[in-house]
Amino acid sequence: MHLQEHRLRQAVQGKSILITGASSGIGRDTALLLARYGAQLIIIGRNEERLREVALQTGARMYVMDLREEKNRQQLCQEIEQLDIFINNAGLSIHRSIYDSLERAHDFTRTMGINYFAPVELMLHFIPLLDAAQGQIVNVSTINTKFRPMAKWSAYQASKAAFDTWLRAVAPEVKHTVSTIYLPLVRTPMIAPTKKYERVPAMSSETAAKRIARLLYTKKKEDKPWWLSFLRFVRP
């Protein structure tokens, strides 16, 4: 897809941009892209080796941490004192029958931890910073939140929908731009455990990164596939 490079540079050059889930996939490619236009990056991820590779290529300030842990969220909030753009990208997907989850309550605490509680707690700290900067949050969401609930996706779909709802409720109150990108299936390490996806068409993480970057200069409230309106009412 085509990016208006002049507008993107104006939107991100010299700006402090925090990206969660930046060690691979969409987060990694977004960091690499924005660094080329002069962004001052703060990147968060769990895999130290891969995150360090991204930091070396982008000059980013890096934090190796699991944001499901409250102490890590508190540490990050204590250290981030100025912020222009927050790209909430970290997430966890689980595709599992409820009958296979009867003794796996942690499926739900883990997904809620990273998909809902972590971004909510970070935003409670970041809202004043983003307001002061007249900045922006970009929430990387999924088209699943636009669908009716689907079998075997209860942990993932509920947790992603929870933050989507929270952010839409907060948006009218805050003094900065709130944008959400609703992505279809994207070819990332997160979907690798679901074997049936190996033969299913998927967006590249590079394309997803470009769509995120475009939101940084268009300031649109949402980005979603053009065909989504035709599918959202289809029953699984």
Side-chain angles (χ1 to χ4, degrees):
M1 64 171 289
H2 174 72
L3 288 174
Q4 297 181 34
E5 296 188 352
H6 177 68
R7 292 182 68 189
L8 178 56
R9 187 174 297 278
Q10 284 186 321
V12 305
Q13 189 169 36
K15 298 291 181 66
S16 175
I17 302 178
L18 187 149
I19 306 173
T20 61
S23 58
S24 64
I26 297 168
R28 173 186 180 275
D29 288 332
T30 301
L32 295 177
L33 175 60
L34 298 183
R36 297 204 297 268
Y37 293 89
Q40 302 298 308
L41 298 174
I42 304 164
I43 57 175
I44 318 295
R46 291 185 298 160
N47 187 301
E48 181 173 3
E49 182 179 356
R50 290 188 299 190
L51 194 68
R52 191 171 300 281
E53 290 178 3
V54 179
L56 288 173
Q57 293 182 67
T58 62
R61 175 180 166 192
M62 61 175 263
Y63 290 90
V64 180
M65 58 175 56
D66 186 342
L67 289 174
R68 290 174 295 188
E69 299 292 333
E70 184 178 3
K71 69 179 190 302
N72 292 336
R73 300 195 297 267
Q74 292 176 345
Q75 176 192 342
L76 186 64
C77 289
Q78 288 172 358
E79 299 198 18
I80 303 299
E81 299 179 349
Q82 186 270 329
L83 189 64
D84 295 295
I85 297 169
F86 172 37
I87 300 177
N88 178 51
N89 169 69
L92 175 65
S93 174
I94 293 178
H95 178 250
R96 182 171 289 127
S97 167
I98 194 64
Y99 286 100
D100 293 328
S101 297
L102 296 180
E103 298 182 6
R104 296 178 58 92
H106 61 279
D107 283 353
F108 303 93
T109 56
R110 288 164 61 215
T111 49
M112 287 297 287
I114 192 63
N115 295 343
Y116 179 68
F117 290 117
V120 166
E121 186 170 337
L122 293 181
M123 281 299 295
L124 294 178
H125 176 72
F126 293 159
I127 283 172
L129 306 183
L130 296 173
D131 282 352
Q134 295 185 320
Q136 182 175 10
I137 174 177
V138 175
N139 179 39
V140 180
S141 191
T142 169
I143 59 171
N144 286 15
T145 63
K146 298 291 190 180
F147 293 157
R148 294 176 179 180
M150 296 184 292
K152 300 184 180 181
W153 290 103
S154 55
Y156 178 65
Q157 196 166 4
S159 59
K160 293 296 281 188
F163 186 68
D164 180 72
T165 301
W166 184 89
L167 190 61
R168 286 188 288 114
V170 166
E173 296 187 63
V174 299
K175 302 177 180 66
H176 61 270
T177 302
V178 175
S179 303
T180 298
I181 180 167
Y182 296 97
L183 289 169
L185 188 67
V186 180
R187 189 72 61 197
T188 68
M190 188 172 74
I191 71 168
T194 307
K195 296 302 181 183
K196 71 176 185 177
Y197 285 156
E198 293 177 358
R199 297 180 297 275
V200 174
M203 179 183 288
S204 71
S205 56
E206 293 87 353
T207 297
K210 289 180 180 179
R211 298 189 76 92
I212 292 168
R214 187 171 61 181
L215 281 174
L216 300 182
Y217 61 81
T218 65
K219 308 294 185 183
K220 290 173 59 178
K221 291 183 179 180
E222 66 176 34
D223 178 287
K224 59 187 178 184
W226 63 269
W227 43 260
L228 183 59
S229 58
F230 296 100
L231 296 180
R232 61 184 300 184
F233 298 112
V234 175
R235 289 185 181 275

